Structure formats: structure tokens, C-alpha cells
Amino acid sequence: MDGLLALYIFMLAAFTGYEIIAKVPVILHTPLMSGSNFVHGVVVVGAMLMLGNADTVLQQAIGFFAVALGAANAAGGYVVTERMLAMFKKKEG
Amino acid sequence: MTLPVYVQGAWFAGALLFIFGLKGMSSPASARKGIVIAGYGMLIAIAGTFLVPGLKNIALMVAALALGGAAAWISGKKVKMTDMPQMVAIYNGMGGGAAAAIAAIEFAKGDAHSTVTTILAVLGALIGAVSFTGSCVAWAKLQGVLKRAIRLPAQNAVNVLLAANAVGLGIAMVLMAPAQPELIVFFFAVSLILGLIVTLPIGGADMPVVISLFNAFTGLAVGFEGYVLGNPALIIAGIVVGAAGTLLTQLMAKAMNRPLSNILFTPMVASGPGEAISGSMKEVGAIDAAAMMRYASKVIIVPGYGMAVAHAQHKVWEMTSILEEAGVEVKFAIHPVAGRMPGHMNVLLAEAGVPYDKIFDLEEINGEFGQADVALIIGANDVVNPSARTDKASPIYGMPILNADQAQNVIVIKRGKGTGYSGVENALFYTDNCRMLYGDAQPMAGEIIQHLKAMG
């Protein structure tokens, strides 16, 4: 990818992340940390691409490891976040 | 390599849904919808990846997805809410490990495209590896597998030496690209050890900040590897999380009044007794405590981690309901660092059924203690210590606290006379309007409930 273009993406993404979190009330900090933890589970996509292009057994082994870890990050992050958020109720909820 | 439009579209949709999902999570009312939206984003991004032309090892890929996904899904369903922080830590470490492993394959293939790519791959690998082992240590500590902080002699010197080594090896990787296998192995070994050694001496109570920091680290690592792979979805998701995590880390460190460098490099020690405290601790029985609250018009409850450890939150909510039926206004005041993670106490109260519109954070409620008849403190200590406002010699001086001392009466449910995590005596316990109710939070709350019921 064009290096400069990536730099623009870096910059805009950083601002987006900052702006989204700056407004979050303290009561949501734990689910939010766990939710953002889930979002970086998208690393599994990168791991799949690497495994998909792995040539040697060693590369396949590391790739397998990477995909399994990434999948665990995504699945685990989703489950715990959803469980926590399902508990937040208003009065008479 | 140009990818088909449906693959690119899937990744774009994923990134878009992540941002919408995180945005939704900024309010309690839409938060649940937010995570579900982000979940769809993940599914679409993964499904799209399968459509990348020329992908090999598909069977292996499916097996890895099923294995990692199922294991984490099951453990995530089972984990108790009090154990949530270590669970988040371990999932986070896995993400960091995955990012480091991606870089490892990239190095092993040796077809780095440019110097910038190599630099970012190395950076991502270093940060990801540190996050991986560091998060594992954080998990072990919070889970109680590792009982105490382990400090090496000259810990800070060792930290600096290891970090310098890791960076030096990283620079060598960039200069000598494509790197020799020995160098790659050595680089990863030092990075992994760095994460381990840096995290080992950090105390359990500082862990929330550390978990938050590693969360930001993994985000950055994912973002950098996204650049290496030329995948904007990874860049966006990673950097958004990196920025958000950094902000969250700062907020937490500020709430504890400890700069990040302090948490990483110096153990917390009680620096002498501070100012002498006059007065004595006065005990109270459960029946009097019940009466004080029953005939109050406003009660503010300050729960601390001690309440969660005692599993008293359900009893406390039952007590609250009885008081409310009797016409008493009850509110919960939460300090930002109550629990083992920012906002952890809110999750524990939510689990017990406390509606979130009864829960207030420090800025919202501090002005109200003056109008409260009773402040009930359960398993909290340092966060209500007025010395933080007045005593410059106190190690916790300057930490924002809940002004429980301004209530007409203060009742403290506490197991014994010991000090809080900081090791500082709590001046609040010695004031004239404070009464101590010694005992475990759960049976104590139970006793208060009995007395309240008897009063009708």
C-alpha cells in the first residue's frame, strides 16, 4: 500500500478511537475495554492471510498458531463483552 | 496484488461496523446493540477472507479457527464476573501473540517489500510479543496462580537492558533484511522475555492499568501488521483500539493519581505514617446500622472490591430494595478504580441486578454526600480516605476520592482494622461521625436485612 496513504489512515483512525472513547461514561469502561479487545481480534484476518500463503511446515505451524490465537481473541472478546452488556439494565428493565 | 472487489468490500464493511459498534458502546442503552454490530463486522471480515483467491491450507485454517474460537467461546461463557479482568487480559494477550506470529511468518518468508514495511513489521512483532507474555503474567497474577510480585535485584536496570536489547535486535533485523533465522529467533526470545520481566514486579492492584496498556499495545501491533499485509481493515481496527486504549490507560492512571511510569517502574510503598491521626475507631452493631439507614432520607453506598470478594453484591442490592420500599433514597457511588479494572464494579453491581441509573461516578455524586444522612462503605478504603485531600505527606495525597466523610453519618463494613492496599491509615475511620461495623460483608448485609425486615 502507498506509504503516505497508510499514514493518513493511521492518523484518522487514531482520532476516531480517541473521540469515540472520550465520551464513554465510566460505568462502561470495563465492557468497552473488553469490546475494543474484541475489535483487535480482527488480527485473525491477517493470520488467515499468512497461513493461506504459508509454504513450509514451520510457516504452517506458526500460521496455525496465529489463526487459533486470533480466533480465540475474537470469540472470547465477543462472548464476555456481550455477557457484560446484557446485564446493564435500567430500572424495571 | 489487487483483490476482488467483494473481498475488499467485506473488509471495508468490517471496519465500518467496528466503528459503529464501538460508537454504540458509548451509551449504556445502545451498548449491547454495539457489540452485536461489531460482531457482524467480524463475521463478514472473516467470511470475506476465505474468498481471497489462491489461498492455501484452507483445512488447517478452518481447524485453527474452530479450535481457538470454540475454546475461547466456552471459557468466556463460563467465567465469573469477578474473574472478568484476567479473562480480558488473556484474550488480549492472544491477539498480541497472533500479531507477533504474523510478523514471524513475514520474516521467515523473507520477502519484505520495503524498509518501512520491515520497520513496522518489527515494531508490531516487538509490541505484540511483549503484550503476549505480559498479558499472560497479568492473567496469572489476577487468577492467583502467581501469588506475589517478583522483583529482581536492579529490576529497572534489567528492564532497560532488555528493552535496549530488543530494540537493538529490531534495528539489526531492519538493516540486515532479510534477516538470518538465528537473528529472528533471538529477537523474538528477547521480546517475549521483556514482556515477562516488565510485568512480573507489578502489583495486583496496578493490574487494571497494565491490562489497559497491553490492550492498547495489541491494538498498535495489529495496526502495524495490517500495514505490512496491506490490509486497511486491520490498520483501522488496530489503531482505533490503540488510541482508545491509550486514552483509557491515561484515565485510569489519573484516577489512581499514579503516573504510568510510576506504575511500571516503582513499587507502591507506604512512605511513613503521614500525619498523626487523632480520635478513635467507634464500633456499631448491625441493628443500629439498620436503624440509621431505615430512618434516613438519603443513603449513599460506596462499594469497593472487598464487597465483590465477599460476594455481597446480591445481599447489598436486596438491602437497597428494602430501604427503597421504606421510602429511603439510595444511590451507589463508584470510584473510578473500584474493582480490578476500570468500571469493573459497575459490571458486578449490574450482575446483582442494580439498575445503572442508580450508579454514579465520582464527579456526579461527590457534591451529594453533604445532603446524605448515611454513607455506607462496604469493602472500600483508600478511595474514601480524606487524607488524600489534606495530608501532603500521605502516599495517596492528590488521588481523587469520594467525599464520604461529608455525610451526616458514615458506616463502614470492614473485616478488620487493617489498612487498605496503599498501607495508609484511613483518617475517615477516626472521625466523630464514623462507625465501624466489623465483619464479612455478606453476612453483615444479611444481618442488616433481617433487622430492616423486623422494623417493617
Side-chain angles (χ1 to χ4, degrees):
Chain A
M1 195 191 322
D2 187 331
L4 208 55
L5 191 66
L7 206 59
Y8 281 112
I9 298 180
F10 275 138
M11 179 187 72
L12 291 172
F15 273 111
T16 308
Y18 194 89
E19 282 304 314
I20 288 174
I21 304 304
K23 294 190 197 78
V24 173
V26 179
I27 78 159
L28 284 174
H29 276 179
T30 285
L32 190 83
M33 207 152 112
S34 144
S36 59
N37 180 27
F38 160 72
V39 166
H40 68 50
V42 74
V43 71
V44 69
V45 165
M48 287 166 70
L49 291 174
M50 288 319 278
L51 178 57
N53 290 308
D55 301 316
T56 65
V57 176
L58 178 69
Q59 290 173 16
Q60 283 176 339
I62 303 175
F64 183 85
F65 179 68
V67 173
L69 286 183
N73 180 180
Y78 180 82
V79 171
V80 297
T81 310
E82 204 272 340
R83 269 184 64 198
M84 283 192 272
L85 291 175
M87 296 184 318
F88 280 100
K89 285 186 212 83
K90 265 191 128 139
K91 216 175 166 181
E92 276 97 45
Chain B
M1 171 175 65
T2 39
L3 290 159
V5 66
Y6 44 84
V7 173
Q8 304 228 24
W11 289 344
F12 179 78
L16 193 70
L17 292 177
F18 288 153
I19 292 176
F20 271 115
L22 281 173
K23 180 92 193 89
M25 278 188 247
S26 62
S27 142
S30 60
R32 174 121 189 252
K33 216 191 288 168
I35 183 67
V36 174
I37 290 173
Y40 280 119
M42 189 69 75
L43 285 180
I44 293 170
I46 292 173
T49 309
F50 275 113
L51 302 176
V52 173
L55 226 50
K56 292 172 286 193
N57 306 322
I58 296 284
L60 215 53
M61 206 179 286
V62 174
L65 281 173
L67 181 77
W73 189 276
I74 293 166
S75 61
K77 280 279 182 208
K78 280 203 289 212
V79 63
K80 281 188 290 195
M81 285 299 154
T82 36
D83 295 341
M84 204 49 95
Q86 53 263 47
M87 217 58 203
V88 173
I90 198 74
Y91 294 145
N92 177 53
M94 288 170 169
I102 290 174
I105 302 177
E106 191 81 21
F107 298 143
K109 280 174 136 1
D111 52 358
H113 321 284
S114 71
T115 313
V116 179
T117 315
T118 318
I119 291 174
L120 286 179
V122 167
L123 264 180
L126 174 60
I127 299 172
V130 167
S131 172
F132 178 58
T133 46
S135 297
C136 290
V137 173
W139 173 84
K141 290 200 166 197
L142 290 168
Q143 188 70 25
V145 178
L146 261 176
K147 293 274 187 257
R148 54 193 193 88
I150 300 161
R151 273 190 88 74
L152 301 172
Q155 174 81 43
N156 289 349
V158 174
N159 284 355
V160 170
L161 204 68
L162 270 173
N165 251 308
V167 171
L169 288 168
I171 293 173
M173 305 255 305
V174 175
L175 295 179
M176 305 205 286
Q180 296 299 309
E182 293 83 5
L183 180 59
I184 299 173
V185 171
F186 205 45
F187 166 74
F188 274 104
V190 172
S191 302
L192 290 168
I193 294 171
L194 177 65
L196 209 65
I197 297 296
V198 165
T199 321
L200 273 174
I202 299 174
D206 279 333
M207 273 309 151
V209 185
V210 175
I211 297 175
S212 181
L213 182 69
F214 285 145
N215 191 31
F217 270 19
T218 302
L220 288 179
V222 171
F224 291 159
E225 298 312 328
Y227 177 84
V228 174
L229 294 166
N231 188 321
L234 257 70
I235 299 181
I236 293 169
I239 299 298
V240 164
V241 172
T246 307
L247 179 63
L248 211 52
T249 311
Q250 282 171 346
L251 286 176
M252 286 218 65
K254 214 170 115 197
M256 296 177 80
N257 194 38
R258 300 192 66 198
L260 200 55
S261 56
N262 222 327
I263 289 167
L264 291 177
F265 299 118
T266 43
M268 187 149 189
V269 281
S271 61
E275 274 173 14
I277 298 165
S278 59
S280 60
M281 294 200 207
K282 292 160 284 290
E283 260 189 75
V284 68
I287 185 158
D288 294 321
M292 280 162 85
M293 289 192 283
R294 170 64 183 79
Y295 299 106
S297 60
K298 183 170 182 172
V299 173
I300 299 177
I301 300 177
V302 180
Y305 193 62
M307 182 196 74
V309 171
H311 299 288
Q313 53 269 42
H314 288 90
K315 286 275 181 217
V316 170
W317 172 230
E318 191 186 341
M319 181 187 83
T320 306
S321 310
I322 297 174
L323 285 171
E324 283 189 324
E325 264 172 48
V328 183
E329 184 189 4
V330 186
K331 287 183 173 179
F332 287 85
I334 312 279
H335 192 272
V337 295
R340 283 292 173 268
M341 217 170 143
H344 188 202
M345 193 53 61
N346 303 85
V347 172
L348 296 171
L349 288 176
E351 189 195 16
V354 181
Y356 61 77
D357 44 5
K358 292 201 177 302
I359 303 174
F360 300 88
D361 42 296
L362 191 123
E363 288 91 22
E364 291 174 318
I365 197 136
N366 248 352
E368 292 189 35
F369 279 102
Q371 296 111 51
D373 301 288
V374 178
L376 176 67
I377 296 160
I378 310 171
N381 194 338
D382 292 332
V383 298
V384 290
N385 190 344
S387 299
R389 279 199 313 256
T390 54
D391 181 5
K392 287 207 169 86
S394 173
I396 59 168
Y397 177 74
M399 180 172 97
I401 59 153
L402 290 161
N403 298 331
D405 56 321
Q406 292 170 359
Q408 294 292 311
N409 297 285
V410 180
I411 302 172
V412 180
I413 302 183
K414 201 170 173 303
R415 267 205 309 229
K417 296 191 178 181
T419 54
Y421 149 70
S422 69
V424 185
E425 277 290 349
N426 194 334
L428 173 68
F429 301 162
Y430 295 89
T431 54
D432 288 335
N433 59 345
C434 181
R435 296 286 177 275
M436 309 298 290
L437 185 54
Y438 290 115
D440 253 1
Q442 197 183 2
M444 267 309 153
E447 268 188 56
I448 293 176
I449 290 171
Q450 294 305 318
H451 294 305
L452 283 175
K453 280 182 177 159
M455 287 171 207

